[in-house]
Amino acid sequence: MLKIEIESLRFYSRMDEDAFFSRLERTPGVVSVEGFLRKIIASIDRSAVDEDSVRELISLFQRYGIDMRQLRELETTEFRTWMRNRSAYWFKSMYPDQ
């Protein structure tokens, strides 16, 4: 089980917060979402994650300014080519060291 930590997230309205949690919780592979003070922990079952799930997480993390480097843990042989596409909007955020 992969645990992703989301810290210092700012919501601009109650509906903004609801939209974030709704999207995260509906993403296939996300097993649970828990909040602890100013930290959110999302537990992800790697075996239940598909390409659409990873793309949804990338999109959500990009929109809310969440550290995308954690999503590298979801890289598999199947996803490697498109995840490491240097022209993709997420590449520099996900792989800043490359």
Side-chain angles (χ1 to χ4, degrees):
M1 192 76 59
L2 174 63
K3 302 275 188 188
I4 291 184
E5 294 186 6
I6 302 166
E7 297 185 86
S8 303
L9 198 55
R10 173 174 281 175
F11 300 110
Y12 295 96
S13 72
R14 181 67 184 164
M15 289 179 71
D16 183 34
E17 182 176 358
D18 292 346
F20 170 79
F21 282 101
S22 177
R23 259 181 91 183
L24 184 58
E25 290 169 345
R26 285 191 328 231
T27 302
V30 176
V31 176
S32 67
V33 179
E34 301 173 293
F36 303 98
L37 299 174
R38 301 202 49 84
K39 185 185 295 187
I40 299 164
I41 307 290
S43 297
I44 300 174
D45 178 355
R46 293 177 197 186
S47 67
V49 170
D50 60 12
E51 182 175 338
D52 289 338
S53 303
V54 176
R55 287 186 184 275
E56 183 62 28
L57 289 168
I58 290 170
S59 169
L60 190 63
F61 277 44
Q62 177 72 25
R63 178 169 302 283
Y64 285 92
I66 301 166
D67 183 359
M68 294 176 63
R69 292 176 293 179
Q70 298 177 87
L71 297 179
R72 294 187 292 194
E73 296 293 322
L74 297 173
E75 184 181 306
T76 63
T77 304
E78 180 183 357
F79 306 152
R80 182 168 290 127
T81 300
W82 65 262
M83 283 182 75
R84 289 183 175 259
N85 177 353
R86 291 183 179 274
S87 62
Y89 70 87
W90 62 80
F91 183 81
K92 287 183 182 176
S93 297
M94 196 179 299
Y95 302 97
D97 51 336
Q98 295 186 19

